[in-house]
Amino acid sequence: MAERYSSFDRGGTRWLLQRVTAAFLIVVLAFHFFQLHFVTHAYEIELAGTEARMQNPAYFATMVLFLVTAAFHGINGVYNALVNQGLEGTQKTAVKWGLIVAGVVLVAQGIRVATVMAGVSIA
């Protein structure tokens, strides 16, 4: 069986980033679910609270960082899964750039939604 490239090989920079982003996502999601299920029980109160918290630059920056981290983690994971399934050559390049473009579009859309929720004017 041919050995395939993977950023999941131990010691690589992307291997480390994949683990760091996973840990960050788990911590933020755990905090979010704790807040959602044990602190605030009403959806309307939570939505109003989120809109108010988005005014805070630190909260806004954390949400944008979460979005970028989730995009990297997911795209890198999908790319490696496809490469490990035998994707090679021009298909590999096309998929890589397709995933990068999709990630940039998703992050840009997420930031746009976050700025609307924060009440920040974007030109």
Side-chain angles (χ1 to χ4, degrees):
M1 184 169 161
E3 194 171 315
R4 293 188 170 79
Y5 167 79
S6 172
S7 70
F8 292 124
D9 294 335
R10 289 185 175 269
T13 303
R14 287 195 331 181
W15 176 86
L16 177 62
L17 284 174
Q18 191 73 10
R19 269 73 187 159
V20 168
T21 57
F24 176 77
L25 293 171
I26 289 169
V27 168
V28 171
L29 284 174
F31 181 73
H32 171 73
F33 286 124
F34 175 79
Q35 289 281 79
L36 185 64
H37 294 291
F38 297 111
V39 177
T40 306
H41 298 287
Y43 174 75
E44 294 81 15
I45 294 171
E46 179 62 25
L47 183 60
T50 299
E51 289 174 351
R53 284 191 302 272
M54 289 299 282
Q55 303 284 331
N56 181 339
Y59 187 85
F60 181 82
T62 302
M63 292 300 104
V64 171
L65 180 61
F66 178 81
L67 180 63
V68 171
T69 304
F72 170 80
H73 184 78
I75 288 170
N76 190 45
V78 168
Y79 177 73
N80 277 290
L82 292 172
V83 168
N84 288 335
Q85 292 298 313
L87 196 63
E88 296 175 351
T90 56
Q91 287 181 333
K92 179 179 168 183
T93 303
V95 166
K96 176 175 80 173
W97 285 106
L99 287 171
I100 289 171
V101 168
V104 168
V105 168
L106 287 172
V107 167
Q109 180 65 15
I111 291 172
R112 189 184 74 76
V113 169
T115 55
V116 168
M117 286 185 74
V120 176
S121 174
I122 53 175

